[in-house]
Amino acid sequence: MDEIYKKIRELRKHYDFTLKDLSEKTGLSVSFLSQVERGTTSLAITSLKKIADAFEVPITAFFENESNQNFVVKAESQKPFRIEGSGAEYTRLGGDFYGRELEPLLVTLSPNMIQDNVFTHPGEEFYYVLEGAVIFHVDGHEYLVKAGDSIHFPSKLPHFWSNPLNQTSKILCVLTPVIF
């Protein structure tokens, strides 16, 4: 349990949260969170989940140790997946280790696909178009990004994308914070 308490404190300091900030995000009291970080109280899994959500990390991040490192992602282990409600196909390209901050993905957009959910969240996003073209809608502006071009913006700006072509478009995406 000491490693879990240590990781909570490390994440809080990394995100520059005060105990009060973390309390507001989790609904847990400042005194309880202080006791957790000092290892003087027990921690229920439901409380740990609230803390993980506040840091936008999977709850498993607290159970991984430094020796649990996978740096290389072999082509045969890359498994495409879809997110419900999205016409895009995603493939994780990044290693899997504690403390990672980047989320590199290969994103394949179906022909004429429009992702009309507008997103805003902490972090930043970088996209490099490998094939085809993508229209990025960022903060009320449209940017046509063709193969070989890139775009990089803060994720706090309202954004979504669309594939204006009758063919598949592929993009290399690197974003923060880690989401998968």
Side-chain angles (χ1 to χ4, degrees), residues 1 4-5 8 22 25-29 32-33 36 41-55 59 62-63:
M1 287 301 285
I4 292 173
Y5 301 141
I8 291 170
L22 188 56
K25 290 183 172 294
T26 61
L28 303 170
S29 73
F32 174 74
L33 291 168
V36 166
T41 188
S42 60
L43 183 62
I45 195 76
T46 54
S47 297
L48 187 59
K49 174 69 171 129
K50 289 177 183 179
I51 293 169
D53 290 347
F55 293 130
I59 197 168
F62 297 106
F63 301 102

Side-chain angles (χ1 to χ4, degrees), residues 7 17 23 29 84 108 114 140 144 146 155 166 168-169 172 174 176:
K7 286 180 184 177
F17 287 173
S23 172
S29 73
E84 188 174 331
T108 304
I114 298 174
L144 176 62
K146 298 177 182 177
S155 303
N166 291 325
T168 298
S169 291
L172 173 64
V174 180
T176 65

Side-chain angles (χ1 to χ4, degrees), residues 28-103:
L28 303 170
S29 73
V30 171
S31 61
F32 174 74
L33 291 168
S34 176
Q35 290 173 354
V36 166
E37 285 190 1
R38 288 182 280 128
T40 60
T41 188
S42 60
L43 183 62
I45 195 76
T46 54
S47 297
L48 187 59
K49 174 69 171 129
K50 289 177 183 179
I51 293 169
D53 290 347
F55 293 130
E56 298 180 352
V57 299
I59 197 168
T60 56
F62 297 106
F63 301 102
E64 298 169 344
N65 60 40
E66 296 299 326
S67 64
N68 189 14
Q69 298 181 5
N70 181 16
F71 300 135
V72 177
V73 181
K74 299 282 190 181
E76 60 269 12
S77 68
Q78 296 173 6
K79 305 285 189 249
F81 63 95
R82 293 188 181 273
I83 298 173
E84 188 174 331
S86 172
E89 179 181 84
Y90 300 86
T91 304
R92 280 196 62 234
L93 300 176
D96 192 13
F97 53 90
Y98 176 73
R100 68 189 179 94
E101 297 181 18
L102 298 175
E103 187 74 74

Side-chain angles (χ1 to χ4, degrees), residues 110-171:
S110 305
N112 303 305
M113 189 209 86
I114 298 174
Q115 174 198 10
D116 53 3
N117 294 336
V118 177
F119 294 98
T120 60
H121 52 88
E124 58 186 288
E125 302 186 26
F126 170 85
Y127 296 93
Y128 178 82
V129 179
L130 299 165
E131 296 175 15
V134 179
I135 298 175
F136 289 87
H137 305 263
V138 181
D139 200 26
H141 295 67
E142 285 188 8
Y143 301 94
L144 176 62
V145 184
K146 298 177 182 177
D149 296 339
S150 62
I151 186 170
H152 185 190
F153 57 88
S155 303
K156 68 180 181 181
L157 299 175
H159 58 280
F160 66 99
W161 59 31
S162 58
N163 178 0
L165 305 177
N166 291 325
Q167 67 183 50
T168 298
S169 291
K170 289 189 178 188
I171 49 181

Side-chain angles (χ1 to χ4, degrees), residues 5-19:
Y5 301 141
K6 182 180 170 186
K7 286 180 184 177
I8 291 170
R9 182 179 175 89
E10 287 173 359
L11 281 169
R12 183 176 63 79
K13 294 210 176 270
H14 172 79
Y15 285 99
D16 201 25
F17 287 173
T18 63
L19 284 170

